[in-house]
Amino acid sequence: MLFKVEMKVNIPHDIDADVINEIKAREKAYAQDLQRQGKWRHLWRVAGSYANVSIFDVADNAELQDLISNLPLFPYMDITVAPLCRHPSSIHEDDR
Ligand SMILES: O=C(O)CC1=CCC(=O)O1
């Protein structure tokens, strides 16, 4: 199942720099591992903002919830999710 996931990152201004840099490093490793597994299909920066638009390819809602809630930056993000289905005009046979 495909989902569009929008993540807006809100880092508190008073957080310790070393703490947040360590969280960001874990976030990067986690995101890259999921991309290698094919579960995090697309990861795009939203130009001009500390936010991303992502496409996840997961078995079901429960797997998406599990992956998202384990993001190291999860406590610092506003996240919106939208389920996707194949567009009838799409030429990409694997988009389902
Ligand atoms: O910087 C972001 O948009 C948050 C994030 C998600 C995956 C990652 O590596 O950073």
Side-chain angles (χ1 to χ4, degrees):
M1 296 174 69
L2 296 174
F3 292 89
K4 179 183 77 168
V5 179
E6 298 182 353
M7 305 179 199
K8 171 92 177 67
V9 186
N10 310 297
I11 306 289
H13 295 297
D14 59 352
I15 197 164
D16 183 83
D18 290 340
V19 170
I20 198 62
N21 286 337
E22 188 271 334
I23 293 171
K24 286 180 183 176
R26 284 194 287 118
E27 179 87 8
K28 182 174 183 174
Y30 183 78
Q32 292 187 336
D33 182 50
L34 291 178
Q35 288 172 77
R36 288 186 195 99
Q37 292 180 47
K39 293 179 184 292
W40 196 325
R41 268 212 213 171
H42 294 276
L43 171 57
W44 294 95
R45 175 65 75 219
V46 178
S49 109
Y50 193 178
N52 72 70
V53 174
S54 294
I55 305 294
F56 280 77
D57 186 354
V58 293
D60 51 26
N61 294 11
E63 184 180 19
L64 183 69
Q65 174 64 19
D66 181 54
L67 297 183
I68 287 176
S69 61
N70 281 301
L71 288 163
L73 281 173
F74 181 74
Y76 307 108
M77 294 199 286
D78 294 322
I79 298 174
T80 57
V81 172
L84 302 176
C85 56
R86 185 175 164 73
H87 192 287
S89 303
S90 174
I91 63 168
H92 300 288
E93 298 298 330
D94 61 340
D95 278 354
R96 57 182 144 247

Coordinates of all heavy atoms in Angstrom, one line a residue:
M1 N 0.8 -1.2 0.0 CA 0.0 0.0 0.0 C 0.9 1.2 0.0 O 1.9 1.3 0.7 CB -0.9 0.0 1.3 CG -1.9 -1.1 1.3 SD -2.7 -1.1 2.9 CE -3.7 0.3 2.8
L2 N 0.5 2.2 -0.8 CA 1.2 3.5 -0.9 C 0.6 4.6 -0.1 O -0.7 4.7 -0.1 CB 1.3 3.9 -2.4 CG 2.1 3.0 -3.3 CD1 2.0 3.5 -4.7 CD2 3.5 2.8 -2.9
F3 N 1.4 5.4 0.6 CA 0.9 6.5 1.3 C 1.8 7.7 1.1 O 3.1 7.6 1.0 CB 1.0 6.2 2.9 CG 0.1 5.1 3.3 CD1 0.5 3.8 3.3 CD2 -1.2 5.5 3.8 CE1 -0.4 2.8 3.8 CE2 -2.0 4.5 4.3 CZ -1.6 3.2 4.3
K4 N 1.2 8.9 0.9 CA 1.9 10.1 0.9 C 2.0 10.5 2.4 O 1.0 10.6 3.1 CB 1.2 11.2 0.2 CG 1.9 12.5 0.2 CD 1.1 13.6 -0.5 CE 0.0 14.1 0.3 NZ -0.6 15.4 -0.2
V5 N 3.2 10.9 2.8 CA 3.5 11.3 4.2 C 4.2 12.6 4.2 O 5.2 12.8 3.5 CB 4.3 10.3 5.0 CG1 4.6 10.8 6.4 CG2 3.7 8.9 5.0
E6 N 3.6 13.6 4.8 CA 4.2 15.0 4.9 C 4.7 15.2 6.3 O 3.9 14.9 7.3 CB 3.2 16.0 4.5 CG 2.7 15.9 3.1 CD 1.7 17.0 2.6 OE1 1.3 17.8 3.5 OE2 1.4 17.0 1.4
M7 N 5.9 15.5 6.4 CA 6.6 15.7 7.8 C 7.1 17.1 7.9 O 7.9 17.6 7.0 CB 7.7 14.8 8.0 CG 7.4 13.3 7.7 SD 8.9 12.3 8.0 CE 8.3 10.8 7.1
K8 N 6.6 17.9 8.9 CA 7.1 19.2 9.1 C 7.9 19.1 10.4 O 7.4 18.7 11.4 CB 5.9 20.2 9.3 CG 6.2 21.5 9.8 CD 6.4 22.5 8.6 CE 6.7 23.9 9.1 NZ 7.9 24.1 9.8
V9 N 9.2 19.5 10.4 CA 10.0 19.4 11.5 C 10.0 20.7 12.3 O 10.2 21.8 11.8 CB 11.5 19.0 11.1 CG1 12.4 18.7 12.3 CG2 11.5 17.9 10.1
N10 N 9.8 20.5 13.6 CA 9.8 21.7 14.6 C 10.8 21.4 15.7 O 10.4 20.8 16.7 CB 8.4 21.9 15.2 CG 7.3 21.9 14.1 OD1 7.3 22.7 13.3 ND2 6.4 20.9 14.1
I11 N 12.0 21.8 15.5 CA 13.0 21.6 16.6 C 13.0 22.8 17.6 O 13.0 23.9 17.2 CB 14.5 21.6 16.0 CG1 14.6 20.6 14.8 CG2 15.5 21.4 17.0 CD1 14.6 19.2 15.2
P12 N 12.8 22.4 18.9 CA 12.8 23.5 19.9 C 14.1 24.3 19.9 O 15.2 23.7 19.7 CB 12.7 22.7 21.2 CG 12.2 21.4 20.9 CD 12.7 21.1 19.5
H13 N 14.0 25.6 20.0 CA 15.2 26.5 19.9 C 16.2 26.2 21.0 O 17.4 26.5 20.9 CB 14.8 27.9 19.9 CG 14.0 28.3 18.7 ND1 14.5 28.2 17.4 CD2 12.7 28.7 18.6 CE1 13.5 28.6 16.5 NE2 12.4 28.9 17.2
D14 N 15.7 25.7 22.2 CA 16.6 25.6 23.4 C 17.2 24.2 23.5 O 17.8 23.9 24.5 CB 15.8 26.0 24.6 CG 14.6 25.1 24.8 OD1 14.2 24.3 23.9 OD2 13.9 25.2 25.9
I15 N 17.0 23.3 22.5 CA 17.5 22.0 22.6 C 19.0 22.0 22.4 O 19.6 22.8 21.6 CB 16.8 21.0 21.6 CG1 17.1 19.6 22.0 CG2 17.3 21.3 20.2 CD1 16.1 18.6 21.3
D16 N 19.7 21.1 23.1 CA 21.2 21.1 23.1 C 21.6 20.6 21.7 O 21.1 19.7 21.1 CB 21.7 20.0 24.1 CG 23.2 20.0 24.1 OD1 23.8 20.8 24.8 OD2 23.7 19.1 23.5
A17 N 22.6 21.3 21.1 CA 23.1 21.1 19.7 C 23.6 19.7 19.5 O 23.3 19.0 18.5 CB 24.1 22.1 19.3
D18 N 24.3 19.2 20.5 CA 24.8 17.8 20.4 C 23.7 16.8 20.4 O 23.7 15.8 19.7 CB 25.8 17.5 21.5 CG 27.1 18.2 21.3 OD1 27.4 18.7 20.2 OD2 27.8 18.4 22.4
V19 N 22.7 17.0 21.2 CA 21.6 16.1 21.3 C 20.8 16.0 20.0 O 20.5 15.0 19.4 CB 20.6 16.5 22.5 CG1 19.3 15.7 22.4 CG2 21.3 16.3 23.8
I20 N 20.5 17.2 19.4 CA 19.7 17.2 18.2 C 20.5 16.7 17.0 O 20.0 16.0 16.1 CB 19.1 18.6 17.9 CG1 17.9 18.5 16.9 CG2 20.1 19.6 17.5 CD1 16.8 17.6 17.3
N21 N 21.8 16.9 17.0 CA 22.7 16.4 15.9 C 22.7 14.9 16.0 O 22.7 14.2 14.9 CB 24.1 17.0 16.0 CG 24.1 18.5 15.5 OD1 23.2 18.9 14.8 ND2 25.1 19.2 15.9
E22 N 22.7 14.3 17.2 CA 22.7 12.9 17.3 C 21.4 12.3 16.8 O 21.3 11.3 16.1 CB 23.0 12.5 18.7 CG 23.3 11.0 19.0 CD 22.0 10.3 19.3 OE1 21.0 10.9 19.8 OE2 21.9 9.1 19.1
I23 N 20.3 13.0 17.1 CA 19.0 12.5 16.7 C 18.9 12.6 15.2 O 18.4 11.7 14.5 CB 17.9 13.4 17.4 CG1 17.8 13.1 18.9 CG2 16.5 13.1 16.7 CD1 16.9 14.1 19.7
K24 N 19.4 13.7 14.6 CA 19.4 13.8 13.1 C 20.2 12.8 12.4 O 19.8 12.2 11.4 CB 19.9 15.2 12.7 CG 18.9 16.3 13.0 CD 19.5 17.7 12.6 CE 18.6 18.8 12.9 NZ 19.2 20.2 12.5
A25 N 21.3 12.4 13.0 CA 22.2 11.3 12.5 C 21.4 10.0 12.5 O 21.5 9.2 11.5 CB 23.5 11.2 13.2
R26 N 20.7 9.7 13.6 CA 19.9 8.5 13.7 C 18.8 8.5 12.7 O 18.4 7.5 12.1 CB 19.4 8.2 15.1 CG 20.5 7.8 16.0 CD 20.0 7.2 17.3 NE 19.5 8.3 18.2 CZ 18.2 8.4 18.6 NH1 17.3 7.5 18.3 NH2 17.9 9.4 19.4
E27 N 18.1 9.7 12.5 CA 17.0 9.8 11.6 C 17.5 9.5 10.2 O 16.9 8.8 9.4 CB 16.5 11.3 11.6 CG 15.4 11.6 10.7 CD 14.0 11.3 11.2 OE1 13.9 10.9 12.4 OE2 13.0 11.3 10.5
K28 N 18.7 10.0 9.8 CA 19.2 9.8 8.5 C 19.5 8.3 8.2 O 19.1 7.8 7.2 CB 20.5 10.6 8.3 CG 21.1 10.5 6.9 CD 22.3 11.4 6.7 CE 22.9 11.3 5.3 NZ 23.9 12.3 5.1
A29 N 20.1 7.7 9.2 CA 20.5 6.2 9.1 C 19.2 5.4 8.9 O 19.1 4.5 8.1 CB 21.3 5.8 10.3
Y30 N 18.2 5.7 9.8 CA 16.9 5.0 9.8 C 16.2 5.2 8.4 O 15.7 4.3 7.8 CB 16.0 5.6 10.9 CG 14.7 5.0 11.1 CD1 14.6 3.7 11.7 CD2 13.5 5.6 10.7 CE1 13.3 3.2 12.0 CE2 12.3 5.1 10.9 CZ 12.2 3.8 11.5 OH 10.9 3.3 11.7
A31 N 16.2 6.5 7.9 CA 15.5 6.8 6.6 C 16.2 6.1 5.5 O 15.6 5.5 4.6 CB 15.5 8.3 6.4
Q32 N 17.5 6.1 5.5 CA 18.3 5.4 4.4 C 18.1 3.9 4.4 O 18.0 3.3 3.4 CB 19.7 5.9 4.4 CG 19.9 7.4 4.1 CD 21.3 7.8 4.0 OE1 22.3 7.2 4.5 NE2 21.5 8.9 3.2
D33 N 18.0 3.3 5.6 CA 17.8 1.9 5.7 C 16.4 1.5 5.1 O 16.3 0.6 4.3 CB 17.9 1.4 7.2 CG 17.7 -0.1 7.3 OD1 18.3 -0.8 6.6 OD2 16.8 -0.5 8.1
L34 N 15.4 2.3 5.5 CA 14.0 2.1 4.9 C 14.0 2.3 3.4 O 13.3 1.6 2.7 CB 13.0 2.9 5.6 CG 12.7 2.6 7.1 CD1 11.7 3.6 7.7 CD2 12.2 1.1 7.2
Q35 N 14.8 3.3 2.9 CA 14.8 3.4 1.4 C 15.5 2.2 0.8 O 15.0 1.8 -0.3 CB 15.6 4.7 1.1 CG 14.8 6.0 1.5 CD 15.7 7.2 1.3 OE1 16.0 7.7 0.2 NE2 16.2 7.7 2.4
R36 N 16.5 1.7 1.4 CA 17.2 0.5 0.8 C 16.3 -0.7 0.8 O 16.3 -1.5 -0.1 CB 18.5 0.2 1.6 CG 19.6 1.2 1.3 CD 20.9 0.8 1.9 NE 21.8 2.0 1.9 CZ 22.0 2.7 3.0 NH1 21.5 2.5 4.1 NH2 22.8 3.8 2.8
Q37 N 15.4 -0.8 1.8 CA 14.4 -1.9 1.9 C 13.2 -1.7 0.9 O 12.4 -2.6 0.8 CB 13.8 -2.0 3.3 CG 14.8 -2.4 4.4 CD 14.1 -2.5 5.7 OE1 13.0 -3.0 5.8 NE2 14.8 -1.9 6.7
G38 N 13.1 -0.5 0.3 CA 12.0 -0.2 -0.6 C 10.8 0.3 0.1 O 9.7 0.4 -0.6
K39 N 10.8 0.4 1.4 CA 9.6 0.9 2.1 C 9.4 2.4 2.1 O 8.3 2.9 2.2 CB 9.7 0.4 3.6 CG 9.6 -1.1 3.7 CD 9.7 -1.6 5.1 CE 9.8 -3.1 5.3 NZ 8.5 -3.7 4.9
W40 N 10.5 3.1 2.0 CA 10.4 4.6 1.9 C 10.8 4.9 0.4 O 12.0 5.1 0.1 CB 11.4 5.2 2.9 CG 11.2 6.7 3.2 CD1 10.8 7.7 2.3 CD2 11.4 7.3 4.4 NE1 10.7 8.9 2.9 CE2 11.1 8.7 4.2 CE3 11.8 6.9 5.7 CZ2 11.2 9.6 5.2 CZ3 12.0 7.9 6.7 CH2 11.6 9.2 6.5
R41 N 9.8 5.0 -0.5 CA 10.1 5.0 -1.9 C 10.7 6.4 -2.4 O 11.5 6.5 -3.3 CB 8.9 4.8 -2.7 CG 8.7 3.3 -3.1 CD 8.0 3.3 -4.4 NE 7.1 2.1 -4.4 CZ 6.2 1.9 -5.4 NH1 6.1 2.8 -6.4 NH2 5.5 0.8 -5.4
H42 N 10.1 7.5 -1.8 CA 10.5 8.8 -2.2 C 10.7 9.7 -1.0 O 9.9 9.6 -0.1 CB 9.5 9.5 -3.2 CG 9.4 8.8 -4.5 ND1 10.3 9.0 -5.5 CD2 8.5 7.8 -4.9 CE1 9.9 8.3 -6.6 NE2 8.9 7.5 -6.2
L43 N 11.7 10.5 -1.0 CA 11.9 11.5 0.1 C 12.4 12.8 -0.6 O 13.4 12.9 -1.2 CB 13.0 11.0 1.0 CG 13.6 11.9 2.1 CD1 12.4 12.4 3.0 CD2 14.6 11.2 2.9
W44 N 11.5 13.8 -0.5 CA 11.7 15.1 -1.1 C 11.7 16.2 -0.1 O 10.8 16.2 0.8 CB 10.6 15.4 -2.1 CG 10.6 14.5 -3.3 CD1 9.9 13.3 -3.5 CD2 11.5 14.5 -4.5 NE1 10.2 12.7 -4.7 CE2 11.1 13.5 -5.3 CE3 12.4 15.5 -4.9 CZ2 11.8 13.2 -6.5 CZ3 13.0 15.3 -6.1 CH2 12.7 14.1 -6.9
R45 N 12.6 17.1 -0.1 CA 12.6 18.3 0.7 C 11.6 19.3 0.1 O 11.5 19.4 -1.2 CB 14.0 19.0 0.7 CG 14.1 20.3 1.4 CD 13.8 20.2 2.9 NE 14.9 19.7 3.6 CZ 14.6 18.8 4.7 NH1 13.4 18.5 5.0 NH2 15.7 18.4 5.4
V46 N 10.7 19.9 0.9 CA 9.8 20.9 0.4 C 10.7 22.2 0.4 O 11.1 22.7 1.5 CB 8.6 21.1 1.4 CG1 7.7 22.2 0.9 CG2 7.9 19.8 1.4
A47 N 10.9 22.8 -0.8 CA 11.7 23.9 -0.9 C 11.3 25.1 0.0 O 10.1 25.4 0.0 CB 11.8 24.4 -2.4
G48 N 12.2 25.6 0.7 CA 11.9 26.8 1.5 C 11.4 26.5 2.9 O 11.0 27.4 3.6
S49 N 11.4 25.2 3.2 CA 10.8 24.9 4.5 C 11.5 23.6 5.1 O 12.1 22.8 4.4 CB 9.3 24.7 4.5 OG 8.9 23.4 4.6
Y50 N 11.5 23.5 6.4 CA 12.1 22.3 7.1 C 11.0 21.3 7.1 O 10.4 21.0 8.2 CB 12.6 22.7 8.5 CG 13.5 21.7 9.1 CD1 14.1 21.9 10.4 CD2 13.8 20.5 8.5 CE1 14.9 20.9 10.9 CE2 14.7 19.5 9.0 CZ 15.2 19.8 10.3 OH 16.0 18.8 10.8
A51 N 10.7 20.7 5.9 CA 9.6 19.8 5.8 C 10.0 18.8 4.6 O 10.8 19.2 3.7 CB 8.3 20.5 5.5
N52 N 9.4 17.7 4.6 CA 9.5 16.8 3.5 C 8.2 16.2 3.1 O 7.2 16.2 3.8 CB 10.6 15.7 3.8 CG 10.1 14.6 4.8 OD1 9.2 13.8 4.4 ND2 10.6 14.6 6.0
V53 N 8.2 15.7 1.8 CA 7.1 14.9 1.3 C 7.7 13.6 0.9 O 8.7 13.5 0.2 CB 6.4 15.6 0.0 CG1 5.4 14.7 -0.6 CG2 5.8 16.9 0.4
S54 N 7.1 12.5 1.4 CA 7.6 11.2 1.2 C 6.5 10.3 0.7 O 5.3 10.5 0.9 CB 8.1 10.6 2.6 OG 9.2 11.4 3.0
I55 N 6.9 9.2 0.0 CA 6.0 8.1 -0.4 C 6.5 6.9 0.3 O 7.7 6.5 0.1 CB 6.0 8.0 -1.9 CG1 5.6 9.3 -2.7 CG2 5.0 6.8 -2.3 CD1 4.2 9.8 -2.4
F56 N 5.6 6.3 1.0 CA 5.9 5.0 1.7 C 5.2 3.9 1.0 O 4.1 4.0 0.6 CB 5.5 5.0 3.2 CG 6.5 5.7 4.1 CD1 6.6 7.1 4.1 CD2 7.3 5.0 4.9 CE1 7.5 7.8 4.9 CE2 8.3 5.6 5.7 CZ 8.3 7.0 5.8
D57 N 5.8 2.7 0.9 CA 5.2 1.5 0.3 C 5.3 0.4 1.4 O 6.4 -0.2 1.6 CB 6.0 1.1 -0.9 CG 5.4 0.0 -1.7 OD1 4.4 -0.6 -1.2 OD2 5.9 -0.4 -2.8
V58 N 4.2 0.2 2.0 CA 4.2 -0.7 3.2 C 3.0 -1.7 3.1 O 2.1 -1.5 2.2 CB 4.0 0.1 4.5 CG1 5.3 1.0 4.8 CG2 2.8 1.0 4.5
A59 N 3.0 -2.7 4.0 CA 2.0 -3.7 3.9 C 0.6 -3.2 4.2 O -0.4 -3.6 3.6 CB 2.4 -4.9 4.8
D60 N 0.6 -2.4 5.3 CA -0.8 -2.0 5.8 C -0.6 -0.7 6.7 O 0.5 -0.3 6.9 CB -1.5 -3.1 6.5 CG -0.6 -3.7 7.6 OD1 0.3 -3.0 8.1 OD2 -0.8 -4.9 7.9
N61 N -1.7 -0.2 7.2 CA -1.7 1.0 8.1 C -0.8 0.7 9.3 O -0.2 1.6 9.8 CB -3.1 1.3 8.5 CG -4.0 1.7 7.4 OD1 -3.7 1.6 6.2 ND2 -5.2 2.2 7.7
A62 N -0.9 -0.5 9.8 CA -0.2 -0.8 11.1 C 1.4 -0.7 10.8 O 2.1 -0.2 11.7 CB -0.5 -2.2 11.6
E63 N 1.8 -1.2 9.7 CA 3.3 -1.1 9.4 C 3.7 0.4 9.3 O 4.7 0.8 9.8 CB 3.7 -1.8 8.2 CG 5.2 -1.8 7.9 CD 5.7 -2.6 6.7 OE1 4.9 -2.9 5.8 OE2 6.9 -2.8 6.7
L64 N 2.8 1.2 8.6 CA 3.1 2.6 8.4 C 3.2 3.3 9.8 O 4.2 4.0 10.1 CB 2.1 3.3 7.6 CG 2.4 4.8 7.3 CD1 3.6 4.9 6.4 CD2 1.2 5.5 6.7
Q65 N 2.3 3.0 10.6 CA 2.3 3.6 12.0 C 3.5 3.2 12.7 O 4.2 4.0 13.4 CB 1.0 3.1 12.8 CG 1.0 3.5 14.2 CD 0.9 5.0 14.4 OE1 0.6 5.8 13.5 NE2 1.3 5.5 15.6
D66 N 3.9 1.9 12.6 CA 5.1 1.4 13.3 C 6.4 2.2 12.8 O 7.2 2.7 13.6 CB 5.3 -0.1 13.1 CG 6.5 -0.6 13.8 OD1 6.6 -0.4 15.0 OD2 7.3 -1.3 13.1
L67 N 6.5 2.3 11.5 CA 7.7 2.9 10.9 C 7.8 4.4 11.3 O 8.8 4.9 11.7 CB 7.7 2.8 9.4 CG 7.8 1.4 8.8 CD1 7.9 1.4 7.3 CD2 9.0 0.6 9.4
I68 N 6.6 5.1 11.2 CA 6.6 6.5 11.4 C 6.9 6.8 12.9 O 7.6 7.7 13.3 CB 5.3 7.1 11.0 CG1 5.3 7.2 9.4 CG2 5.1 8.5 11.5 CD1 4.0 7.7 8.9
S69 N 6.2 6.0 13.8 CA 6.3 6.3 15.2 C 7.7 6.0 15.7 O 8.1 6.5 16.8 CB 5.3 5.6 16.0 OG 5.4 4.2 15.9
N70 N 8.5 5.3 15.0 CA 9.9 5.0 15.4 C 10.9 5.9 14.8 O 12.1 5.8 15.0 CB 10.3 3.5 15.1 CG 9.7 2.6 16.1 OD1 10.0 2.7 17.3 ND2 8.8 1.7 15.6
L71 N 10.5 6.9 14.0 CA 11.4 7.9 13.5 C 12.0 8.7 14.7 O 11.3 9.1 15.6 CB 10.6 9.0 12.7 CG 10.2 8.5 11.3 CD1 9.1 9.5 10.8 CD2 11.3 8.5 10.3
P72 N 13.4 8.8 14.7 CA 14.0 9.5 15.8 C 13.5 10.9 16.0 O 13.4 11.5 17.1 CB 15.5 9.5 15.5 CG 15.6 8.2 14.7 CD 14.4 8.1 13.9
L73 N 13.1 11.6 14.9 CA 12.6 13.0 15.0 C 11.1 13.0 15.2 O 10.5 14.1 15.3 CB 12.9 13.7 13.7 CG 14.3 14.3 13.6 CD1 14.5 14.9 12.2 CD2 14.6 15.4 14.6
F74 N 10.4 11.8 15.4 CA 9.0 11.8 15.6 C 8.4 12.8 16.6 O 7.4 13.4 16.4 CB 8.5 10.4 15.9 CG 7.0 10.2 16.0 CD1 6.2 10.2 14.9 CD2 6.5 10.0 17.3 CE1 4.8 10.0 15.0 CE2 5.1 9.9 17.4 CZ 4.3 9.9 16.3
P75 N 9.1 12.9 17.8 CA 8.5 13.8 18.8 C 8.6 15.3 18.3 O 7.9 16.1 19.0 CB 9.5 13.6 20.0 CG 10.2 12.4 19.8 CD 10.3 12.2 18.3
Y76 N 9.3 15.6 17.3 CA 9.5 17.0 16.9 C 8.8 17.2 15.5 O 9.2 18.2 14.8 CB 11.0 17.3 16.8 CG 11.7 17.0 18.0 CD1 12.6 15.9 18.1 CD2 11.5 17.7 19.2 CE1 13.3 15.6 19.3 CE2 12.2 17.4 20.4 CZ 13.0 16.4 20.4 OH 13.7 16.1 21.6
M77 N 7.9 16.4 15.1 CA 7.4 16.5 13.7 C 5.8 16.6 13.8 O 5.2 15.8 14.6 CB 7.8 15.4 12.8 CG 9.3 15.5 12.5 SD 9.8 14.6 11.0 CE 9.7 12.9 11.6
D78 N 5.2 17.4 12.9 CA 3.8 17.3 12.6 C 3.7 16.5 11.3 O 4.4 16.8 10.3 CB 3.2 18.7 12.4 CG 3.2 19.5 13.7 OD1 3.0 19.0 14.7 OD2 3.5 20.7 13.6
I79 N 2.9 15.4 11.4 CA 2.9 14.5 10.3 C 1.5 14.3 9.8 O 0.5 14.2 10.6 CB 3.5 13.1 10.7 CG1 4.9 13.3 11.2 CG2 3.3 12.1 9.6 CD1 5.5 12.0 11.8
T80 N 1.3 14.4 8.4 CA 0.0 14.1 7.9 C 0.2 13.0 6.8 O 1.2 12.9 6.1 CB -0.6 15.3 7.2 OG1 0.3 15.8 6.2 CG2 -0.9 16.4 8.2
V81 N -0.8 12.1 6.8 CA -0.8 10.9 6.0 C -2.0 10.8 5.0 O -3.1 11.2 5.5 CB -0.7 9.6 6.9 CG1 -0.9 8.4 6.0 CG2 0.5 9.6 7.7
A82 N -1.7 10.5 3.8 CA -2.8 10.3 2.8 C -2.6 9.0 2.1 O -1.5 8.8 1.5 CB -2.9 11.4 1.9
P83 N -3.6 8.1 2.1 CA -3.5 6.9 1.3 C -3.5 7.2 -0.2 O -4.3 8.1 -0.6 CB -4.7 6.0 1.7 CG -5.7 7.0 2.2 CD -4.9 8.2 2.7
L84 N -2.8 6.4 -1.0 CA -2.7 6.6 -2.5 C -3.2 5.4 -3.2 O -3.1 4.3 -2.7 CB -1.3 6.9 -2.9 CG -0.6 8.1 -2.3 CD1 0.8 8.2 -2.7 CD2 -1.3 9.4 -2.6
C85 N -3.8 5.6 -4.4 CA -4.1 4.5 -5.2 C -3.7 4.8 -6.7 O -3.5 6.0 -7.0 CB -5.5 4.0 -5.1 SG -6.7 5.3 -5.4
R86 N -3.6 3.8 -7.5 CA -3.2 4.0 -8.9 C -4.1 5.0 -9.6 O -5.3 4.9 -9.6 CB -3.1 2.7 -9.6 CG -2.6 2.7 -10.9 CD -2.5 1.3 -11.5 NE -2.3 1.3 -12.9 CZ -1.1 1.7 -13.5 NH1 -0.1 2.0 -12.8 NH2 -1.1 1.7 -14.8
H87 N -3.5 5.9 -10.4 CA -4.3 6.8 -11.2 C -4.5 6.1 -12.5 O -3.6 5.5 -13.1 CB -3.5 8.1 -11.4 CG -4.3 9.2 -12.1 ND1 -4.7 9.2 -13.4 CD2 -4.8 10.3 -11.5 CE1 -5.4 10.2 -13.6 NE2 -5.5 11.0 -12.5
P88 N -5.7 6.2 -13.1 CA -6.0 5.5 -14.3 C -5.2 5.9 -15.5 O -5.1 5.2 -16.5 CB -7.5 5.8 -14.5 CG -7.9 6.9 -13.6 CD -6.9 6.9 -12.5
S89 N -4.6 7.1 -15.4 CA -3.8 7.6 -16.6 C -2.3 7.3 -16.4 O -1.5 7.7 -17.2 CB -4.0 9.1 -16.8 OG -5.4 9.4 -17.0
S90 N -2.0 6.7 -15.2 CA -0.5 6.5 -14.9 C 0.0 5.5 -15.9 O -0.6 4.5 -16.2 CB -0.3 6.0 -13.5 OG 1.0 5.7 -13.3
I91 N 1.3 5.8 -16.4 CA 2.0 4.8 -17.3 C 2.9 3.9 -16.5 O 3.6 3.0 -17.1 CB 2.8 5.5 -18.4 CG1 3.9 6.4 -17.8 CG2 1.8 6.4 -19.3 CD1 4.9 6.9 -18.8
H92 N 2.9 4.1 -15.2 CA 3.8 3.3 -14.3 C 3.1 2.1 -13.8 O 2.3 2.2 -12.8 CB 4.4 4.2 -13.2 CG 5.1 5.3 -13.7 ND1 6.4 5.3 -14.3 CD2 4.8 6.7 -13.8 CE1 6.8 6.5 -14.7 NE2 5.8 7.3 -14.4
E93 N 3.4 0.9 -14.4 CA 2.7 -0.3 -14.0 C 2.9 -0.7 -12.6 O 2.1 -1.4 -12.0 CB 3.1 -1.5 -14.9 CG 2.8 -1.2 -16.4 CD 1.3 -1.1 -16.7 OE1 0.5 -1.7 -16.0 OE2 0.9 -0.3 -17.6
D94 N 4.0 -0.3 -12.0 CA 4.3 -0.7 -10.6 C 3.7 0.2 -9.5 O 3.9 0.1 -8.3 CB 5.8 -0.9 -10.4 CG 6.5 0.4 -10.6 OD1 6.0 1.4 -11.2 OD2 7.7 0.5 -10.1
D95 N 2.9 1.2 -9.9 CA 2.4 2.2 -9.0 C 1.1 1.6 -8.4 O 0.0 2.0 -8.8 CB 2.1 3.5 -9.6 CG 3.3 4.4 -9.7 OD1 4.4 4.0 -9.2 OD2 3.3 5.4 -10.4
R96 N 1.2 0.8 -7.4 CA 0.0 0.3 -6.7 C 0.3 -0.1 -5.3 O 1.5 -0.1 -4.9 CB -0.6 -0.9 -7.5 CG 0.3 -2.1 -7.7 CD -0.3 -3.2 -8.4 NE 0.7 -3.8 -9.3 CZ 0.7 -3.8 -10.6 NH1 -0.3 -3.2 -11.2 NH2 1.6 -4.4 -11.3
Ligands
LIG1 O1 14.8 16.6 7.5 C1 13.7 16.1 7.4 O2 12.8 16.3 6.6 C2 13.3 15.0 8.4 C3 13.9 13.7 7.9 C4 13.2 12.6 7.5 C5 14.2 11.6 7.1 C6 15.4 12.3 7.3 O3 16.5 11.8 7.1 O4 15.2 13.6 7.8

